[in-house]
Amino acid sequence: MVMSSIFGILLALIAIGVGMYLKGADLIALYNPAALLIIFGGTAAAIMIAFPFSELKKFPILLRIALFEPKLTTKVDQISRLVECAEIAKKEGILALEELASETTDPFFKKGLELIIDGHDIEFIEEVLLEEVAAIDKRHKTGALIFTQAGTYAPTLGVLGAVIGLIASLGNLNNIDKLGHSISAAFIATLLGIFSGYVLWHPIANKLKRISKKEQELKLLTIEGLLSVYQGLSPSALEKKLTVYVSPKERISYEKKNEDHTNEKTA
C-alpha cells in the first residue's frame, strides 16, 4: 500500500512534467514562489479557519496513515482468533478467556473480552462496543474531511492566483516579452491548485475513508464473533457464521490456513 501511494504521486508528477514538455512548456515555470504561496499558504489558511487546532494538529499523523497505511489484522486471522475463543469457552468456560485477554495487544478485542469475562448483559456489551465503533467513525470522518476541504479550496485558490497574476500582467501591456511571461506565471497558480486538489488532497481523503471502512468492518466482525462466543455458539457454527463476512478468496485462504493448522496438530 505504501508503494502504491508513493508510486501514484510520482506518476502524477511525471505525467505533468512530460505533458508540459510535449506541449513545449518550460518545466522551470513550475517554480513560481508567488503561486506556491497562494496555493499552499492559502489552503493552509483556509483549513485553519475551518477547523480547530485540536483537529488540525493530527494532520501529519493522518498524512502518515494515508501514505504508510497501518497494517490491520486480517479478517481471516480475526476469525481464527474468535474461533479459538469459542473453543476455549466451550472446553473451560467463559472465565478461561481471561488469559487470552491479558495477552492480546488489540485494545478493542481486549475490551470486548473483558466485558464478556465480567459477565455484563449481552445488550450492554453490544451497546458499548457499537458506541466505540461510532466514536471511531466520527473521528475518522473529521480527519478525512480536512483533506476533502483542502481539495475543495486549492483549485479555487488556483483561480484566485491566476486572477492576481493577470492583474499584474496588465502593467506590462507595453512590453510583449514581460506580458507573455506574466500570463504564463498567472496560469501556473491554476495548474498547482488543480493538481494539489485533485491529485493530492482528494485522493488522500478517499484513502483515509477506505482505511476507516476497513477497520470498522473488522470491528463489526469482532463484535459479532464475541457476542456469539458469549451466547455459547459452537466453534464450527461460529466459523460458518463469520466466514460470510469475507470474500471467496479470503475464505479459501482461511480454509487453507485451518487445513495447515490441522496437519500440524496431527503430525
Side-chain angles (χ1 to χ4, degrees):
M1 294 299 175
V2 177
M3 289 304 295
S4 69
S5 299
I6 295 174
F7 181 75
I9 292 171
L10 289 175
L11 182 60
L13 292 170
I14 292 169
I16 292 295
V18 173
M20 287 184 66
Y21 174 78
L22 293 175
K23 289 287 186 179
D26 192 352
L27 291 178
I28 197 67
L30 289 173
Y31 178 69
N32 188 310
L36 290 168
L37 178 62
I38 291 169
I39 301 306
F40 292 101
T43 301
I47 60 173
M48 286 176 71
I49 294 168
F51 296 90
F53 182 72
S54 60
E55 293 174 3
L56 289 177
K57 67 182 181 181
K58 299 173 186 174
F59 185 92
I61 299 171
L62 294 168
L63 189 60
R64 188 175 70 247
I65 290 172
L67 294 178
F68 305 95
E69 185 173 338
K71 188 176 181 181
L72 299 173
T73 303
T74 64
K75 288 181 181 179
V76 168
D77 288 339
Q78 194 74 332
I79 291 172
S80 296
R81 291 171 71 187
L82 290 163
V83 170
E84 183 187 354
C85 288
E87 289 171 348
I88 293 171
K90 189 174 180 63
K91 292 177 183 176
E92 306 172 42
I94 291 293
L95 293 178
L97 295 172
E98 191 169 358
E99 184 179 349
L100 188 62
S102 63
E103 292 174 355
T104 184
T105 56
D106 180 350
F108 185 81
F109 191 68
K110 184 184 180 78
K111 186 173 187 177
L113 286 173
E114 288 174 345
L115 288 168
I116 288 173
I117 293 163
D118 290 342
H120 294 289
D121 292 337
I122 192 166
E123 292 81 7
F124 175 77
I125 296 171
E126 183 176 18
E127 183 182 351
V128 169
L129 294 178
L130 287 176
E131 281 180 359
E132 182 156 341
V133 172
I136 291 169
D137 179 51
K138 186 178 179 181
R139 289 198 301 271
H140 289 182
K141 281 181 177 176
T142 301
L145 185 60
I146 293 173
F147 289 90
T148 300
Q149 291 299 95
T152 302
Y153 301 143
T156 306
L157 287 165
V159 175
L160 176 63
V163 171
I164 293 171
L166 290 173
I167 290 171
S169 69
L170 292 176
N172 298 312
L173 290 177
N174 295 327
N175 189 325
I176 299 300
D177 290 335
K178 277 191 175 182
L179 178 63
H181 179 75
S182 298
I183 293 174
S184 172
F187 285 106
I188 290 298
T190 304
L191 186 153
L192 291 174
I194 294 172
F195 178 85
S196 62
Y198 292 106
V199 179
L200 291 178
W201 308 135
H202 276 304
I204 287 174
N206 289 335
K207 188 160 190 182
L208 288 172
K209 290 175 187 175
R210 188 185 61 76
I211 293 170
S212 176
K213 184 181 178 182
K214 187 177 177 182
E215 184 179 343
Q216 287 176 61
E217 286 176 353
L218 183 65
K219 282 180 167 49
L220 292 174
L221 182 149
T222 303
I223 293 171
E224 186 71 30
L226 288 173
L227 295 178
S228 297
V229 170
Y230 195 36
Q231 289 173 318
L233 201 66
S234 69
S236 60
L238 179 62
E239 191 176 64
K240 290 180 176 65
K241 185 177 184 179
L242 295 182
T243 49
V244 301
Y245 285 88
V246 300
S247 66
K249 185 179 178 181
E250 289 173 316
R251 203 170 300 171
I252 293 169
S253 173
Y254 175 76
E255 290 169 357
K256 186 177 183 303
K257 183 179 178 182
N258 272 2
E259 186 181 337
D260 294 341
H261 185 62
T262 305
N263 292 337
E264 284 177 9
K265 281 186 174 180
T266 56

